[in-house]
Amino acid sequence: MKVGVLALQGAVAEHIRSIEQAGATGVIVKRVEQLDELDGLIIPGGESTTIGKLMRKYDFIDAVRSFSEQGKPIFGTCAGLIVLAKRIEGQDEAHLELMDMTVARNAFGRQRESFETDLPVQGIDEPIRAVFIRAPLITQVGPEVDVLSTFNGEIVTARQGHLLAASYHPELTDDVRLHEYFLGMIKESAVVER
């Protein structure tokens, strides 16, 4: 199983490490053609506006939409969650517009308001360690979206079919269970394709 990490900006090496600890092959993705060889894709944290601009510059927007249309799983963490969203509060246009949710950028405040917590996530037995850094929030979801976890009543993990989104950075801990959950989604999608 090959899982790519979009390497335009953000915590790429950490996601590669987590993917490999979870039992798959991690691929650093810098060119659109690489998407053809992947079973799943992670869009990491970073700065969502910058990632969106670079995705446009290097023709990743349509390529990743096409990847999604093939039913291949995509996981967005922190800024990656914003890139996946159909709507961004206070902005006229979003980036990939794949996941039926509205997000608020930097909803938890500035860098110094960063924190860690043990977060129960539906589908994972014990709470996972979640690192929130200038994290976005999911403020609204459509009927197709399953809320997997909340923090203080706010949505921080969600899934829509083959799309997974987390407000936090699971790759900054030694806990790889959310990456394992994503690998499970890839296995499910491969069964559906056959």
Side-chain angles (χ1 to χ4, degrees):
M1 203 180 332
K2 283 190 180 173
V3 181
V5 181
L6 189 64
L8 300 177
Q9 194 209 23
V12 176
E14 293 85 349
H15 272 296
I16 295 285
R17 188 200 70 216
S18 296
I19 290 163
E20 297 192 334
Q21 283 178 346
T25 302
V27 179
I28 294 171
V29 177
K30 293 189 173 183
R31 297 184 326 279
V32 167
E33 310 83 75
Q34 291 177 278
L35 295 173
D36 295 338
E37 33 184 273
L38 300 176
D39 302 301
L41 179 69
I42 294 176
I43 303 173
E47 210 289 311
S48 61
T49 308
T50 305
I51 295 170
K53 279 181 184 157
L54 291 170
M55 286 181 81
R56 286 174 179 86
K57 182 177 178 180
Y58 297 109
D59 299 323
F60 272 103
I61 297 284
D62 288 339
V64 174
R65 284 179 181 153
S66 164
F67 185 88
S68 175
E69 279 164 19
Q70 295 166 49
K72 291 186 176 183
I74 304 174
F75 179 15
T77 62
C78 199
L81 166 151
I82 298 167
V83 172
L84 277 180
K86 276 203 172 157
R87 297 165 299 278
I88 303 167
E89 285 185 4
Q91 287 183 214
D92 292 335
E93 65 171 348
H95 304 289
L96 288 168
E97 299 178 345
L98 291 173
M99 203 161 162
D100 189 8
M101 60 186 179
T102 305
V103 297
R105 297 173 68 227
N106 297 338
F108 283 107
R110 310 297 316 153
Q111 196 93 19
R112 67 175 182 276
E113 274 98 42
S114 301
F115 64 96
E116 288 185 38
T117 188
D118 289 321
L119 187 71
V121 177
Q122 196 178 313
I124 299 175
D125 289 343
E126 296 286 317
I128 63 165
R129 194 75 185 148
V131 179
F132 289 82
I133 304 170
R134 286 175 51 216
L137 269 182
I138 302 169
T139 55
Q140 281 179 310
V141 294
E144 308 281 301
V145 178
D146 294 315
V147 173
L148 301 184
S149 71
T150 58
F151 178 78
N152 288 347
E154 307 277 10
I155 304 167
V156 293
T157 320
R159 177 177 177 178
Q160 180 180 341
H162 64 287
L163 305 171
L164 180 65
S167 296
Y168 44 91
H169 290 270
E171 77 284 3
L172 297 182
T173 73
D174 293 329
D175 187 341
V176 297
R177 287 175 299 152
L178 200 59
H179 288 81
E180 287 170 352
Y181 178 94
F182 183 59
L183 297 186
M185 289 172 57
I186 295 172
K187 286 183 187 130
E188 280 169 34
S189 74
V191 170
V192 171
E193 274 171 39
R194 287 202 181 94

